[in-house]
């Protein structure tokens, strides 16, 4: 019997059952995103703050808002968990998790509107030996680049919102 990634048999998928599976997959995606963001934050931001980057530079590269993204993600995961535990086919309203999260929208807006400047600041810092050296020793083949860390919140929430609202 063929199954979706969520473990639900494809033969059982229709109507609300497919919505439940979609929400469960979205929740798994949120958990993975949170784990990656936390790991990358621990890897890069602590070292950057300690060695070569001022608080103002972290702000300009949007890195000081990564912790907000981690908190938002954890909250989104918990809200999805609550929806799944109390699943009501006639009243799932999964979109409310996104629509009623002002911090999500504010942080997403902040990242989106400041992304170009953040990447310019990143490129400027990469031109300095201390910064580039720290990044190259921190980053290995299995690690997402610092540049990708800066882009991660915008990419992830763009995809999540598209998946939720179409």
């Amino acid at each position: 019997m063929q199954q979706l990634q969520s473990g639900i048999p494809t033969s059982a998928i229709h109507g609300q059952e497919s919505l439940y599976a979609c929400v469960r997959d979205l929740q798994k995606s949120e958990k993975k995103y949170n784990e990656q963001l936390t790991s990358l934050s621990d890897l890069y931001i602590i070292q950057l703050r300690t060695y070569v980057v001022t608080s103002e530079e972290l702000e300009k590269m949007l890195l000081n808002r990564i912790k907000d993204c981690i908190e938002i993600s954890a909250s989104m995961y918990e809200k999805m968990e609550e929806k799944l535990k109390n699943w009501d086919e006639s009243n799932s309203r999964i979109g409310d998790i996104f629509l009623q999260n002002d911090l999500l929208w504010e942080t997403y807006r902040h990242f989106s509107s400041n992304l170009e400047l953040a990447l310019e600041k990143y490129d400027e810092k990469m031109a300095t030996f201390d910064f580039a050296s720290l990044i190259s020793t921190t980053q290995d083949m299995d690690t997402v680049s610092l540049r990708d860390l800066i882009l991660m919140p915008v990419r992830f929430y763009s995809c999540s919102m598209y998946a939720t609202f179409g």
Side-chain angles (χ1 to χ4, degrees):
M1 178 183 311
Q2 188 179 8
Q3 291 187 343
L4 298 175
Q5 181 182 0
S6 62
I8 296 175
T10 54
S11 61
I13 299 300
H14 59 83
Q16 288 294 320
E17 292 165 350
S18 64
L19 179 58
Y20 183 89
C22 179
V23 173
R24 198 159 67 180
D25 285 345
L26 186 61
Q27 182 194 31
K28 288 177 184 178
S29 176
E30 190 71 47
K31 182 177 183 177
K32 183 176 180 182
Y33 167 72
N34 186 286
E35 289 168 352
Q36 287 177 325
L37 206 54
T38 300
S39 176
L40 291 168
S41 172
D42 292 346
L43 178 69
Y44 288 116
I45 296 174
I46 293 169
Q47 289 191 42
L48 291 174
R49 189 175 282 136
T50 304
Y51 297 107
V52 295
V53 179
T54 66
S55 294
E56 182 180 325
E57 289 169 327
L58 283 173
E59 170 73 30
K60 287 181 180 171
M61 285 190 287
L62 300 172
L63 296 174
N64 61 333
R65 300 293 297 262
I66 295 293
K67 292 292 184 192
D68 290 343
C69 294
I70 293 168
E71 290 174 19
I72 291 167
S73 177
S75 172
M76 300 285 283
Y77 178 86
E78 290 169 10
K79 289 176 182 177
M80 284 184 238
E81 181 71 21
E82 189 63 31
K83 289 277 189 185
L84 291 169
K85 282 182 184 174
N86 301 308
W87 190 254
D88 176 3
E89 289 183 12
S90 64
N91 193 19
S92 63
R93 298 186 179 259
I94 193 67
D96 288 351
I97 293 172
F98 292 89
L99 293 173
Q100 298 171 353
N101 191 331
D102 292 338
L103 184 57
L104 167 67
W105 293 109
E106 171 58 28
T107 302
Y108 179 77
R109 184 198 60 73
H110 182 78
F111 265 89
S112 297
S113 60
N114 292 295
L115 191 57
E116 187 174 332
L117 292 171
L119 293 174
E120 285 175 14
K121 186 63 179 175
Y122 168 81
D123 290 340
E124 176 188 312
K125 289 299 289 181
M126 281 300 284
T128 66
F129 177 76
D130 289 346
F131 187 84
S133 176
L134 178 64
I135 296 305
S136 68
T137 58
T138 301
Q139 186 175 303
D140 61 31
M141 294 294 282
D142 296 330
T143 306
V144 173
S145 72
L146 178 60
R147 184 181 187 90
D148 286 339
L149 173 60
I150 294 169
L151 292 167
M152 191 179 281
V154 173
R155 287 179 178 161
F156 181 79
Y157 283 113
S158 294
C159 292
S160 293
M161 286 182 225
Y162 179 78
T164 304
F165 301 112

